[in-house]
Amino acid sequence: PAPGTRQMLEEQGAQAVADWMLDQRKLLITDTTMRDGHQSLLATRMRSIDMIRVAPSYAANLPQLFSVECWGGATFDVAYRFLQECPWQRLRDIRARMPNLMTQMLLRASNGVGYTNYPDNVVQFFVRQAAETGVDVFRVFDSLNWVENMRVAMDAVIDSGKICEGTVCYTGNMLDPDRSKYDLKYYIRTAQDLKAAGAHVLGLKDMAGLLKPAAARILIKTLKDEVGLPIHFHTHDTSGMGGATILAAADAGVDAVDCAMDALSGNTSQPTLGSVVEALAQTDRDTGLDIGAIRAISNYWERVRENYAAFESGLQSPASEVYLHEMPGGQFTNLKAQARSMGLEDRWHEVAQAYADVNRMFGDIVKVTPSSKVVGDMALMMVAQNLTPDDVLDPAKDVSFPDSVVDMMRGNLGQPPGGWPQAIQTKVLKGEAPITDRPGAHLDPVDLEAERAKLSEILDGRQIDDEDLAGYLMYPKVFTDYMQRHEIYGPVRTLPTDSFFYGMEPGDEISVEIDPGKTLEVRLLTLGETDEKGEIKVFFELNGQPRQVRVPNRKATGSAAARPKADAANPGHIGAPMPGVVASVAVAAGQKVAQGDLILTIEAMKMETGIHADRDGTVSAVHVTPGTQIDAKDLLAEIE
């Protein structure tokens, strides 16, 4: 492949790349298809095999791209959690097949790629490993735009020799005098703080697609004049206005923008790459990208997308509703999937309204992972329990807040401008004192080698390399669950996508390359009857040799009896506030509890909610165990 931006970074360094961005005139483009494109449209479910196959085409045919965003954000835990594959392996494979283009990741500063604050040395260790494995550009942001919370991560990126894109998140409406909390002066001040913290590039992250063209012209020009860093603009096309905003930003002098390949663009994803290229062709901001190559690669993604139909959001058109709820594009499909799992999909517009209500209750905050997840968790809970904002704010009405809300109000995600509204913070914390300084300052360093030894013991003596250790430090349970499944099922990442998600039908045949040069030919012949254990006999050929195996038939109808429901008139009954899975049980029958004591936790998708005792008493019965699938209003425990 022709030399690209990665060669410039490797030979001249990060500052040289930043200086080049300022000096040249063409509009630089980052392709987001492999990260934010599918996160926004397909609930982050894109598998590595579909990315790796097309990476050489990017390298050969689009060497003029600024970067390819292919890692970080929600893709990290979803790979382990739902796709049964290693995100580090994905990064290595893409890096090897795309040697001339810079890879880019989304890093949540002190939250790493997780949803809570991590000790400083964990963040530093993760960044160092990501840089070593293959990340070139780190887009570092804080979910509340608190630069103090970003410094550790930014310093780690700078020390690695990679490009630090310190990022300010855009929210609200800069031109609306009634939303003066986030005015032009606020963005200038935050951007100057990022420059002082050492950012090579200023990221402007419009994660919900709220920046309108008129505001973009003012904001971009002012930031260019007042700050002087190259600006990399990211937006979403949820309202249908994203392309117009990008062109306005280009007129104002923005240096680089994010777009997605045509077939995975628009709606909650990024604006359409091919359209932006065409709009600027033969102008002084011509991107220099080959439109024929773009269309060929988009054709590939079009076929790939057909395999992910189960994860489509169902959004058929742009929606100005985004200016009401201000939901990040990358959260939209994931929150819809959460709502679907909780039986709330038909109440989606209520969820959207509740999302806006929660934002106001929390004091009008920047909403991007993980703060956006907290708002989403609270909105889903309110709709599931039919709670109004007045109910939530009523000091006399007891509310079981999601754990993420409690954690945020404690100060563990940092501080928004002006602090948290006193009334909601007091109710959530129930008298507990919050912290107001940097959360990482309260966290002791992790003994990395002790954690490595602990993980090795959990995994029966397996050698633990730095990539696995970094994954474990971010998500201990998710990572160990992945490793244990991997021991049983092997490298399922190599399966064709349609077979992975939907299974095979009798007569289907697939080729699976489990190692370089080692391919299995699998042909499904027929299925036997389901036995009394719920297992089915599968007859197939492996490389032409007949085989058979018994597996659980997940289509078999379960015979478990329906669970008893909590009696709303019985104050001793503790019912489930929403459908989900019991994550942990903290009490046993006969145990004395005080008001506020934790009884158990429920997990629905990525949302955990603690269920607490609403009065003093003795636990007379516990009706569930960890792992139990429950529906709303199921009886969980009894207190007398």
Side-chain angles (χ1 to χ4, degrees):
T5 48
R6 184 162 187 260
Q7 278 66 48
M8 186 187 305
L9 174 63
E10 295 285 300
E11 295 166 9
Q12 301 177 47
Q15 188 57 52
V17 175
D19 293 341
W20 168 77
M21 292 176 71
L22 284 173
D23 290 343
Q24 58 86 52
R25 182 60 183 158
K26 70 180 180 182
L27 182 68
L28 300 169
I29 292 187
T30 290
D31 182 285
T32 62
T33 311
M34 297 189 200
R35 207 286 299 176
D36 207 7
H38 71 90
Q39 179 174 326
S40 301
L41 294 175
L42 306 173
T44 328
R45 293 307 198 273
M46 184 75 74
R47 300 175 68 237
S48 298
I49 191 171
D50 293 323
M51 304 179 198
I52 294 162
R53 283 175 173 161
V54 76
S57 186
Y58 275 85
N61 301 312
L62 292 175
Q64 302 88 358
L65 282 171
F66 175 69
S67 63
V68 174
E69 189 194 44
C70 57
W71 211 66
T75 65
F76 189 86
D77 68 293
V78 167
Y80 286 138
R81 196 189 301 260
F82 299 121
L83 302 180
Q84 187 52 35
E85 59 183 47
C86 174
W88 300 99
Q89 180 74 42
R90 174 185 298 181
L91 177 58
R92 271 184 276 121
D93 288 341
I94 292 174
R95 167 78 290 152
R97 289 162 175 79
M98 209 170 58
N100 57 338
L101 292 173
M102 292 196 297
T103 56
Q104 182 171 311
M105 82 162 289
L106 189 66
L107 182 70
R108 301 164 183 161
S110 58
N111 306 121
V113 286
Y115 301 95
T116 187
N117 261 266
Y118 296 95
D120 292 351
N121 72 321
V122 170
V123 174
Q124 292 160 345
F125 177 73
F126 185 89
V127 169
R128 188 164 61 247
Q129 187 56 53
E132 184 178 319
T133 301
V135 175
D136 297 312
V137 182
F138 289 78
R139 176 172 287 162
V140 185
F141 73 97
D142 177 74
S143 66
L144 298 171
N145 274 346
W146 198 28
V147 176
E148 187 62 26
N149 229 14
M150 299 169 64
R151 294 181 187 276
V152 170
M154 290 178 68
D155 287 345
V157 173
I158 294 165
D159 290 345
S160 75
K162 304 298 186 178
I163 294 174
C164 176
E165 187 175 298
T167 301
V168 57
C169 298
Y170 182 86
T171 193
N173 181 356
M174 191 185 78
L175 301 182
D176 183 353
D178 293 333
R179 300 288 295 277
S180 58
K181 184 174 183 177
Y182 303 103
D183 59 8
L184 184 59
K185 291 180 181 177
Y186 168 84
Y187 293 109
I188 295 170
R189 185 170 62 249
T190 307
Q192 289 172 335
D193 288 346
L194 289 167
K195 182 179 182 180
H200 299 115
V201 177
L202 175 64
L204 178 58
K205 181 175 170 62
D206 178 24
M207 57 280 167
L210 302 178
L211 184 62
K212 299 170 185 175
R217 286 191 177 88
I218 296 169
L219 181 57
I220 297 290
K221 185 177 187 310
T222 306
L223 290 175
K224 292 280 288 185
D225 293 342
E226 298 286 335
V227 182
L229 290 176
I231 298 175
H232 191 170
F233 175 51
H234 169 91
T235 191
H236 289 254
D237 203 21
T238 313
S239 70
M241 206 187 294
T245 302
I246 279 183
L247 295 179
D251 285 344
V254 75
D255 299 280
V257 299
D258 285 0
C259 296
M261 277 291 169
D262 301 20
L264 277 160
S265 68
N267 286 344
T268 50
S269 178
Q270 276 67 61
T272 307
L273 198 157
S275 297
V276 171
V277 168
E278 289 279 23
L280 294 173
Q282 289 83 50
T283 72
D284 64 340
R285 304 235 57 193
D286 193 318
T287 64
L289 296 174
D290 180 352
I291 191 65
I294 290 169
R295 288 173 184 152
I297 293 175
S298 180
N299 291 343
Y300 168 84
W301 286 122
E302 184 178 347
R303 294 301 302 274
V304 164
R305 185 170 179 173
E306 295 170 5
N307 290 325
Y308 295 89
F311 306 105
E312 295 277 2
S313 69
L315 190 67
Q316 300 298 315
S317 59
S320 62
E321 188 180 52
V322 68
Y323 298 114
L324 163 70
H325 55 64
E326 301 184 353
M327 199 178 293
Q331 182 186 29
F332 193 94
T333 48
N334 287 292
L335 194 64
K336 265 209 161 182
Q338 277 186 278
R340 189 181 304 121
S341 74
M342 296 169 64
L344 300 175
E345 188 174 24
D346 60 341
R347 301 177 66 185
W348 175 250
H349 293 293
E350 292 178 57
V351 174
Q353 181 61 58
Y355 194 98
D357 293 340
V358 171
N359 177 50
R360 283 192 290 273
M361 279 195 295
F362 288 172
D364 190 6
I365 63 171
V366 176
K367 293 167 292 301
V368 62
T369 309
S371 62
S372 58
K373 177 184 180 299
V374 181
V375 176
D377 288 352
M378 187 68 194
L380 287 173
M381 191 208 77
M382 287 173 62
V383 175
Q385 299 184 37
N386 296 309
L387 295 173
T388 66
D390 289 341
D391 293 331
V392 174
L393 293 171
D394 184 353
K397 187 174 181 70
D398 187 60
V399 175
S400 291
F401 290 95
D403 290 354
S404 59
V405 175
V406 178
D407 194 58
M408 187 172 77
M409 289 297 164
R410 282 185 181 131
N412 286 339
L413 294 187
Q415 299 297 312
W420 299 105
Q422 191 64 47
I424 187 73
Q425 188 178 43
T426 300
K427 181 167 183 178
V428 170
L429 296 184
K430 297 179 169 61
E432 180 184 342
I435 63 170
T436 55
D437 55 350
R438 189 174 73 85
H442 297 267
L443 300 173
D444 293 329
V446 168
D447 185 332
L448 299 177
E449 294 311 311
E451 290 298 310
R452 193 191 304 271
K454 175 183 171 184
L455 178 57
S456 179
E457 185 177 341
I458 292 172
L459 300 177
D460 300 322
R462 179 190 176 98
Q463 289 290 108
I464 305 300
D465 62 23
D466 286 349
E467 290 178 352
D468 285 346
L469 179 59
Y472 173 74
L473 291 170
M474 287 288 127
Y475 290 97
K477 185 176 186 303
V478 171
F479 178 79
T480 51
D481 286 351
Y482 155 77
M483 290 297 289
Q484 287 159 358
R485 290 194 306 272
H486 188 75
E487 285 297 312
I488 298 170
Y489 297 110
V492 296
R493 69 178 184 278
T494 61
L495 288 169
T497 295
D498 56 349
S499 299
F500 177 83
F501 284 128
Y502 311 110
M504 297 172 66
E505 295 293 333
D508 287 353
E509 184 171 344
I510 60 173
S511 296
V512 184
E513 186 177 25
I514 57 172
D515 278 316
K518 187 176 182 179
T519 301
L520 302 179
E521 300 292 337
V522 182
R523 180 181 175 83
L524 179 60
L525 299 176
T526 188
L527 305 175
E529 296 293 325
T530 304
D531 63 18
E532 66 278 359
K533 296 179 183 177
E535 293 184 339
I536 190 169
K537 188 178 285 187
V538 180
F539 300 87
F540 62 101
E541 287 181 355
L542 185 62
N543 290 345
Q545 299 299 311
R547 301 285 180 90
Q548 62 183 36
V549 66
R550 285 191 177 276
V551 297
N553 183 3
R554 294 178 182 171
K555 293 182 179 179
T557 305
S559 57
R563 295 191 171 279
K565 299 293 183 182
D567 182 355
N570 186 336
H573 279 197
I574 297 177
M578 63 186 73
V581 176
V582 176
S584 64
V585 177
V587 298
Q591 182 176 330
K592 292 188 180 300
V593 292
Q595 183 178 357
D597 284 354
L598 180 68
I599 303 299
L600 50 81
T601 57
I602 297 172
E603 181 180 14
M605 295 285 280
K606 298 179 184 180
M607 176 174 68
E608 282 202 3
T609 302
I611 307 299
H612 300 264
D614 59 358
R615 61 199 179 95
D616 298 346
T618 301
V619 178
S620 58
V622 178
H623 298 285
V624 292
T625 57
T628 302
Q629 189 80 37
I630 55 172
D631 288 324
K633 301 181 181 178
D634 279 359
L635 180 61
L636 306 177
E638 298 179 58
I639 297 177
E640 59 183 26

